[in-house]
Amino acid sequence: MGDHGINFSDCLDVWNNICTFAGMKRTIGCLQTFLLLLLLVACDSGRRERLQLEELERQNRADSLMTNDSLALALTNYFDRHGTPNEQLRAYYILGRTYADVGEAPRAIEAYNTAADRADTTAAD
């Protein structure tokens, strides 16, 4: 799951080690342990992306030059699939700001328009 330090392959390795180390012969016990480990990994899903978005927003508030359009685009792709409308709005706004800073005005306007489209005016946040 990204750069969290644990991914699916790591989960399989840990599962194999637990089953071997603990001498678990029963598949059900190993399977329960593996599913618990997967659940723990899934709970951390998106943490890195949210931290990256918050960091880009800090840079934006500090009026820093924003030139990493690869990161901003990756965040919009992630939040399109896994984010709330507010997270999508924030990610597209940052993408627009990044495109504006690198001189890509048409792409910036497109990203800003997408951000506006993602605004959830019915949410009570």
Side-chain angles (χ1 to χ4, degrees):
M1 301 236 158
D3 295 331
H4 292 61
I6 295 179
N7 59 35
F8 185 75
S9 176
D10 293 335
C11 288
L12 284 175
D13 290 342
V14 170
W15 176 57
N16 286 330
N17 289 338
I18 289 171
C19 291
T20 302
F21 179 75
M24 289 184 196
K25 301 268 186 205
R26 297 181 349 197
T27 304
I28 293 175
C30 287
L31 184 57
Q32 287 173 334
T33 304
F34 178 66
L35 292 174
L36 178 61
L37 187 58
L38 278 180
L39 179 62
L40 291 173
V41 170
C43 289
D44 193 35
S45 179
R47 183 173 183 268
R48 178 186 57 149
E49 289 80 7
R50 285 176 184 82
L51 290 174
Q52 289 172 326
L53 180 59
E54 289 170 8
E55 177 56 33
L56 290 179
E57 289 174 325
R58 277 191 287 279
Q59 292 174 18
N60 179 53
R61 285 190 299 274
D63 202 27
S64 299
L65 186 63
M66 301 182 61
T67 59
N68 191 348
D69 62 337
S70 297
L71 176 58
L73 188 56
L75 290 174
T76 59
N77 289 334
Y78 175 82
F79 288 114
D80 275 345
R81 291 188 318 274
H82 305 290
T84 65
N86 187 51
E87 290 168 332
Q88 293 170 15
L89 178 149
R90 292 165 50 206
Y92 275 100
Y93 176 83
I94 292 297
L95 180 63
R97 166 69 198 278
T98 303
Y99 283 147
D101 281 0
V102 297
E104 295 283 338
R107 293 172 89 183
I109 292 169
E110 183 179 340
Y112 289 138
N113 284 334
T114 302
D117 290 342
R118 301 300 164 94
D120 184 359
T121 58
T122 63
D125 49 77

